């Protein structure tokens, strides 16, 4: 299945590999040599469902061109029977696994990490489980969206030189007027640290977070628009996401979908939101226009210069989708004329 989400998540790693190969061709440094910086969990009251994590750091003094094939073995203390583990991520500097089944309560465990480097001994640590498992990851709240005018800086650069010659001086930039969507996201509860969120914007139907399946039909991923932003859910100050609403040249209903995952690989989703007919179209000159959002006697001077936008919550929406399409078309036309 051609899953867009998997392609996006893998693109960073693939880009790093391609860059590394180009760098090697130009005589630059090869793939880093890694050493263990930190391992987890530790302590005497470890949750029974805690992930096992190894944090790495690059060591410039290590040997070069050495294969990195990390493995982790988990056993009860004093036993040589390995417990089945599932890999959650094998891209340095963070490697993580979880046990296929919850660990036993109040039991000591021993973990052996091996980097695969020849002659390097295992990194060994122990921990003891408590009585309980940590609460699973969940989300509290709903998506809320407000549109507002904004600007983006678009850069045009020549093709990068694989040998690292500086081409930044040859880049040109242009400031363009755009429409922004400010999306209030739900709050993450429970789970384990390294909680992240994915906010998807697609056209006409919400992004589908269904697991990959060989028999199920391919989930909808957007015909003209497919945009994703990633959020650090461990940061309590992050309460909304501001993203540019793409202009594919055709009018469409923007649909927003949100999913969260944690350090154990657990996932939580909420009801997606597709906007039908915004009550107050947003003007690129600031403020709001149209009808249905403010009382008729509101003066232009009393309105803020930054858009109050059109607020929506999951389950709400207008009654006439053609009004939304017409509003978006007008927005795009105004933006093109101002550009």
């Amino acid at each position: 299945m051609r899953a867009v989400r998997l392609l996006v998540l893998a693109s960073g790693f693939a880009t790093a590999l391609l860059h590394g190969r180009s760098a090697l061709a130009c005589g630059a440094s090869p793939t880093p040599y890694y050493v263990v910086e930190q391992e987890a969990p530790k302590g005497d009251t470890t949750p029974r469902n805690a992930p096992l994590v190894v944090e790495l750091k690059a060591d410039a003094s290590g040997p070069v061109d050495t294969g990195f094939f990390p493995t982790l073995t988990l056993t009860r203390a004093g036993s040589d029977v390995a417990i089945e583990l599932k890999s959650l991520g094998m891209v340095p500097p963070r490697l993580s696994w979880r046990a296929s089944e919850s660990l036993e309560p109040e039991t000591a465990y021993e973990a052996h990490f091996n980097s695969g480097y020849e002659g390097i001994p295992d990194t060994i640590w122990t921990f003891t489980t408590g009585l309980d498992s940590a609460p699973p990851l969940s989300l509290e709240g709903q998506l809320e969206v407000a549109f507002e005018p904004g600007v983006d800086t678009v850069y045009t650069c020549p093709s990068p030189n694989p040998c690292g010659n500086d081409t930044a001086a040859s880049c040109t930039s242009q400031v363009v007027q755009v429409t922004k969507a400010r999306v209030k996201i739900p709050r993450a509860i429970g789970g384990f640290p390294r909680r992240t969120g994915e906010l998807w914007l697609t056209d006409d139907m919400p992004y589908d977070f269904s697991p990959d399946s060989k028999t199920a039909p391919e989930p909808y991923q957007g015909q003209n628009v497919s945009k994703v932003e990633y959020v650090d859910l461990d940061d309590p100050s992050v309460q909304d996401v501001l993203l540019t609403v793409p202009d594919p040249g055709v009018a469409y209903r923007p649909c927003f979908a949100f999913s969260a995952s944690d350090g154990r690989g657990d996932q939580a989703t909420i009801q997606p939101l597709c906007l039908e007919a915004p009550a107050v179209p947003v003007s690129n000159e600031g403020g709001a226009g149209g009808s249905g959002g403010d009382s008729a006697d509101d003066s232009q001077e009393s309105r803020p210069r930054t858009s109050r936008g059109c607020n929506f919550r999951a389950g709400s929406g207008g009654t006439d989708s053609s009004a939304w399409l017409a509003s978006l078309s007008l927005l795009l036309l105004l933006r093109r004329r101002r550009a």
Side-chain angles (χ1 to χ4, degrees), residues 33-36 39 54 56 68 70-71 111-125:
Y33 180 85
Y34 294 104
V35 296
V36 176
E39 60 277 348
V54 174
L56 305 170
F68 182 63
T71 59
H112 289 243
F113 171 77
N114 187 280
S115 61
Y117 296 142
E118 184 176 357
I120 302 300
D122 290 354
T123 297
I124 304 173
W125 76 96

Side-chain angles (χ1 to χ4, degrees), residues 2 7 11 19 22 30 39 45 47-48 65 68 108 118 148 156 166 187 199 204 208-209 230 250 253 270 283 301 303:
R2 294 170 295 149
L7 290 177
S11 63
H19 176 74
S22 298
E39 60 277 348
T45 57
R48 296 170 56 192
D65 297 329
F68 182 63
E118 184 176 357
E148 59 188 65
T156 302
D166 186 13
R187 185 168 68 97
L199 176 65
D204 301 326
D208 191 343
F209 291 103
Y230 294 96
V250 296
R253 292 171 55 210
I270 58 171
S283 167
E301 289 76 19
R303 298 184 180 184

Side-chain angles (χ1 to χ4, degrees), residues 121-316:
D122 290 354
T123 297
I124 304 173
W125 76 96
T126 61
F127 62 90
T128 301
T129 54
L131 288 172
D132 302 316
S133 297
L137 177 68
S138 62
L139 294 172
E140 180 182 75
Q142 297 177 328
L143 293 175
E144 298 181 25
V145 179
F147 292 103
E148 59 188 65
V151 295
D152 279 348
T153 302
V154 178
Y155 293 92
T156 302
C157 300
S159 300
N161 189 311
C163 290
N165 294 340
D166 186 13
T167 58
S170 303
C171 296
T172 59
S173 63
Q174 179 185 12
V175 176
V176 297
Q177 292 180 318
V178 296
T179 299
K180 298 281 187 177
R182 187 175 298 276
V183 185
K184 182 180 179 181
I185 59 175
R187 185 168 68 97
I189 302 174
F192 290 90
R194 293 294 181 96
R195 300 177 301 176
T196 59
E198 298 178 37
L199 176 65
W200 284 83
L201 168 60
T202 53
D203 55 303
D204 301 326
M205 293 178 63
Y207 181 83
D208 191 343
F209 291 103
S210 300
D212 291 340
S213 172
K214 294 181 179 179
T215 57
E218 185 170 337
Y220 180 82
Q221 299 168 348
Q223 297 298 324
N224 298 300
V225 175
S226 184
K227 185 178 180 67
V228 61
E229 295 286 344
Y230 294 96
V231 188
D232 180 7
L233 297 179
D234 289 335
D235 185 350
S237 67
V238 177
Q239 300 180 353
D240 56 38
V241 178
L242 185 65
L243 55 83
T244 299
V245 180
D247 176 8
V250 296
Y252 62 93
R253 292 171 55 210
C255 290
F256 300 87
F258 186 79
S259 174
S261 60
D262 67 354
R264 190 177 179 274
D266 290 335
Q267 187 180 45
T269 60
I270 58 171
Q271 180 183 354
L273 173 62
C274 286
L275 305 184
E276 294 289 347
V280 186
V282 175
S283 167
N284 275 336
E285 295 178 352
S291 61
D294 297 291
S295 59
D297 58 354
D298 280 350
S299 65
Q300 183 66 30
E301 289 76 19
S302 67
R303 298 184 180 184
R305 293 300 297 168
T306 56
S307 170
R308 296 155 82 171
C310 312
N311 292 322
F312 300 88
R313 300 191 180 198
S316 68

